[in-house]
Amino acid sequence: MNFSSGTMHDASSGNVFPLLLAIDTCGPSGSVALGRIPGRDLEILGQTELAGRSYSATLISAIADLLHSAGLELCNLDGIVVVNGPGSFTGVRVGVSAAKGLAQGAEIPVVAISRLEILSRKSGVPSAGLDAHRGEVYLRLERTGATPVEILAGANELAAIQPIPTRVAVCDEGATALLARVWPQTQLVTTSPPLASDALRPGEARLIAGAAVDLALLDGHYLRRSDAEIFGTDVAALAEAAAPAAAESKSA
């Protein structure tokens, strides 16, 4: 993986990963970014925003265009950072699948990072919330002396959380409305939605720490089941509940 400012080095040596690609297709819109981090400074070589619901048709071509515009090839990348959720099931799967496909052939290390963590880092607020629709939020909660936890919560779950956070970063109307209603005393810090470029710095830190994932185990960070799983379980439960009644009817 040759690159003019250096090559990829082993993370245990303390060296950096100078050229990174970041992919985020979790939200209503998505983005891909190409960045150079030769030291302390981050240089964005290019970023492309992607319209929602079209990721599968536009993601790979957008990445190819970014690399071409920078005069680079896939093999020049030192790492790929993929934002693996939470968010749209389809969007998350498209982004994760693309990262796997690109990395596998070129033997590029990949790290995954939560969109909630990106929002938290971007805002400087440890707790963060994203609209999960259906009257729920994806929530990252700061815990004193412990690693933050990420959950899916509706109004009832939010009301049961104690103590509630004093500040929560938000970037959409859905999360803002729900959190304001259930936690009126919490300060909501409005931040612009995270972009792929916001994932470059934390992604580099994970690569340096040796946190590259096994591609066979890389998956989406969904925080809830898909509609197929939910409705499939409901149908199975209904069928199981109906079975004794059906048996009694036949025996009668």
Side-chain angles (χ1 to χ4, degrees):
M1 296 180 213
N2 295 322
F3 179 56
S4 59
S5 66
T7 57
M8 187 191 77
H9 298 282
D10 188 282
S12 62
S13 69
N15 291 315
V16 297
F17 292 69
L19 186 65
L20 301 178
L21 172 72
I23 301 170
D24 180 0
T25 56
C26 301
S29 61
S31 56
V32 290
L34 187 63
R36 180 188 291 142
I37 313 177
R40 290 175 176 248
D41 298 327
L42 166 62
E43 179 186 359
I44 306 298
L45 301 179
Q47 181 160 250
T48 301
E49 294 194 39
L50 309 170
R53 302 184 182 279
S54 65
Y55 301 138
S56 59
T58 60
L59 178 57
I60 296 301
S61 61
I63 292 171
D65 289 344
L66 273 183
L67 291 169
H68 179 75
S69 297
L72 299 166
E73 297 180 0
L74 184 63
C75 62
N76 296 129
L77 293 177
D78 293 299
I80 295 175
V81 182
V82 60
V83 182
N84 68 331
S88 154
F89 280 99
T90 300
V92 170
R93 286 170 179 155
V94 168
V96 168
S97 296
K100 283 184 175 183
L102 293 170
Q104 197 160 26
E107 298 184 350
I108 303 168
V110 175
V111 290
I113 190 165
S114 162
R115 192 165 187 252
L116 284 166
E117 181 177 344
I118 299 300
L119 177 59
S120 170
R121 287 174 175 270
K122 184 173 185 176
S123 64
V125 178
S127 296
L130 292 165
D131 185 13
H133 304 293
R134 301 173 183 166
E136 296 175 313
V137 292
Y138 299 120
L139 188 65
R140 180 180 178 86
L141 285 173
E142 176 188 17
R143 298 185 299 171
T144 303
T147 302
V149 62
E150 296 189 358
I151 62 172
L152 174 70
N156 291 338
E157 290 82 8
L158 292 172
I161 292 173
Q162 293 294 333
I164 64 173
T166 56
R167 304 170 75 215
V168 177
V170 291
C171 66
D172 55 61
E173 293 181 1
T176 301
L178 179 57
L179 292 172
R181 176 166 59 86
V182 182
W183 291 344
Q185 60 271 60
T186 295
Q187 179 187 0
L188 301 180
V189 181
T190 303
T191 305
S192 59
L195 294 171
S197 55
D198 297 314
L200 289 168
R201 270 293 187 199
E204 182 214 23
R206 292 194 177 189
L207 283 166
I208 291 173
V213 298
D214 182 340
L215 294 181
L217 302 178
L218 177 59
D219 197 5
H221 178 49
Y222 298 112
L223 290 184
R224 77 171 164 208
R225 295 171 298 161
S226 67
D227 284 343
E229 291 171 315
I230 292 170
F231 298 138
T233 300
D234 291 344
V235 169
L238 288 170
E240 184 177 350
E248 289 178 10
S249 176
K250 286 183 179 180
S251 63

